[in-house]
């Protein structure tokens, strides 16, 4: 089976985030968290949909992953739909990955697929 770059980044990113938050136990799969698109530019609004039980009681962490770093860039109160401003993270690469991690009582409940944020606008087709 040949993995595409996007599939590899999704799997490795989700695993890195889960390990970064200490989620060595099995995360419950009782919901889904997803961005409406898979690519964005800094400054855009990304729509994040939380299809989970009682999203208002959860906290959403926005995690940026670059080649050398992984950090929480913003925190939001849970809602069924969030409009998230896409941050700019200076790095030596042409893009970085942005994940949404939903926390339930201090434990990761769901991790979104990555949103690739392009730091070079010519790659977005503009």
């Amino acid at each position: 089976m040949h993995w595409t770059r996007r599939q590899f980044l999704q799997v490795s990113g989700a695993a890195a985030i889960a390990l970064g938050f200490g989620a060595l136990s099995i995360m419950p799969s009782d919901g889904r968290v997803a961005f409406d698109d898979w690519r964005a530019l800094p400054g855009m609004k990304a729509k994040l949909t939380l299809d989970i039980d009682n999203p208002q009681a959860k906290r959403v962490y926005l995690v940026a992953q670059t080649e050398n770093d992984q950090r929480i860039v913003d925190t939001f109160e849970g809602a069924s739909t969030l409009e998230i401003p896409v941050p700019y993270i200076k790095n030596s690469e042409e893009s970085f990955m942005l994940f949404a991690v939903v926390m339930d009582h201090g434990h990761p409940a769901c991790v979104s697929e990555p949103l690739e944020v392009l730091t070079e606008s010519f790659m977005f087709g503009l």
Side-chain angles (χ1 to χ4, degrees), residues 11-75:
V11 171
S12 63
I17 287 173
L19 289 174
F21 279 102
L24 297 175
S25 62
I26 297 173
M27 290 194 308
S29 59
D30 58 348
R32 182 174 179 268
V33 178
F35 287 101
D36 277 1
D37 203 355
W38 65 277
R39 185 178 275 178
L41 289 172
M44 292 177 66
K45 296 277 186 179
K47 185 175 176 186
L48 180 68
T49 304
L50 282 74
D51 186 18
I52 55 177
D53 292 335
N54 196 12
Q56 291 79 11
K58 311 285 193 276
R59 186 174 268 307
V60 179
Y61 290 94
L62 200 59
V63 178
Q65 180 181 3
T66 62
E67 183 179 291
N68 302 325
D69 192 20
Q70 181 176 337
R71 61 183 149 167
I72 297 173
V73 293
D74 213 342
T75 306

Side-chain angles (χ1 to χ4, degrees), residues 4-126:
T4 64
R5 178 177 180 249
R6 182 175 181 199
Q7 290 171 327
F8 177 75
L9 289 173
Q10 288 173 349
V11 171
S12 63
I17 287 173
L19 289 174
F21 279 102
L24 297 175
S25 62
I26 297 173
M27 290 194 308
S29 59
D30 58 348
R32 182 174 179 268
V33 178
F35 287 101
D36 277 1
D37 203 355
W38 65 277
R39 185 178 275 178
L41 289 172
M44 292 177 66
K45 296 277 186 179
K47 185 175 176 186
L48 180 68
T49 304
L50 282 74
D51 186 18
I52 55 177
D53 292 335
N54 196 12
Q56 291 79 11
K58 311 285 193 276
R59 186 174 268 307
V60 179
Y61 290 94
L62 200 59
V63 178
Q65 180 181 3
T66 62
E67 183 179 291
N68 302 325
D69 192 20
Q70 181 176 337
R71 61 183 149 167
I72 297 173
V73 293
D74 213 342
T75 306
F76 301 94
E77 294 298 320
S80 59
T81 303
L82 294 170
E83 292 258 338
I84 296 175
V86 178
Y88 175 75
I89 306 294
K90 185 170 175 75
N91 63 11
S92 61
E93 298 296 315
E94 298 170 341
S95 67
F96 64 91
M97 294 299 169
L98 198 62
F99 295 88
V101 179
V102 177
M103 301 292 278
D104 186 15
H105 296 40
H107 301 289
C110 291
V111 177
S112 72
E113 292 185 5
L115 175 69
E116 182 180 18
V117 180
L118 300 174
T119 55
E120 300 294 332
S121 61
F122 67 87
M123 293 188 58
F124 199 73
L126 298 176

